[in-house]
Amino acid sequence: MTDFVATHLSWFLSLHIMAFTAWMAGTFYLPRLFVYHTQTTPGTPESKRFKIMERKLLRQIMTPAMIVTVLVGGLMASVPGLVDWHSGWWWTKLLCVIALMGFHGACSQWRKLFLKDQNTHSEKYYRIANEIPTILMVIIVVMIIVRP
């Protein structure tokens, strides 16, 4: 499998970038939906619409994109010589990807709270949370491109 990935690396890299882009787009948008959802009254048609939008974004876009990003990234990392396992940039990037997956999990939990009309976080909370994926994305991209 490693030889196949190495031979078709540009295709795998393209898929990885597309999946990461889709994952990040959803990760930027879902907390913004939560901001707007806090402004609704539970049980209203507007609140129900947000619940549908949040579920579809998380389950149909974000989670599949995350899975593809991680699987394809792992396949590429398995190609001998592609990653210098002694470099700090690699471990920093990996730590940020794990943190981004944790943020994804937090978004999933927040969605479940909204689904049950049990959200206790404020609009401001979600506005601040919305900045976390941006910071992680900047670090990830710098680590993989610049490799400081």
Side-chain angles (χ1 to χ4, degrees), residues 66-83:
M66 177 188 68
I67 291 168
V68 171
T69 299
V70 172
L71 288 177
V72 173
L75 282 172
M76 289 189 306
S78 72
V79 173
L82 193 64
V83 173

Side-chain angles (χ1 to χ4, degrees), residues 19-31 57 61-62 65 130 137:
F20 182 71
T21 302
W23 184 23
M24 289 309 306
T27 304
F28 292 145
Y29 189 48
L30 187 57
L57 179 60
I61 297 171
M62 289 173 62
N130 200 35
M137 181 203 63

Side-chain angles (χ1 to χ4, degrees), residues 25-35 50 53-55 57-58 62 104 107-108 111 126 130:
T27 304
F28 292 145
Y29 189 48
L30 187 57
R32 179 59 49 190
L33 286 176
F34 294 154
V35 168
F50 276 110
M53 292 168 63
E54 292 157 359
R55 178 180 50 80
L57 179 60
L58 186 68
M62 289 173 62
H104 183 105
C107 284
S108 179
R111 186 194 73 80
Y126 292 114
N130 200 35

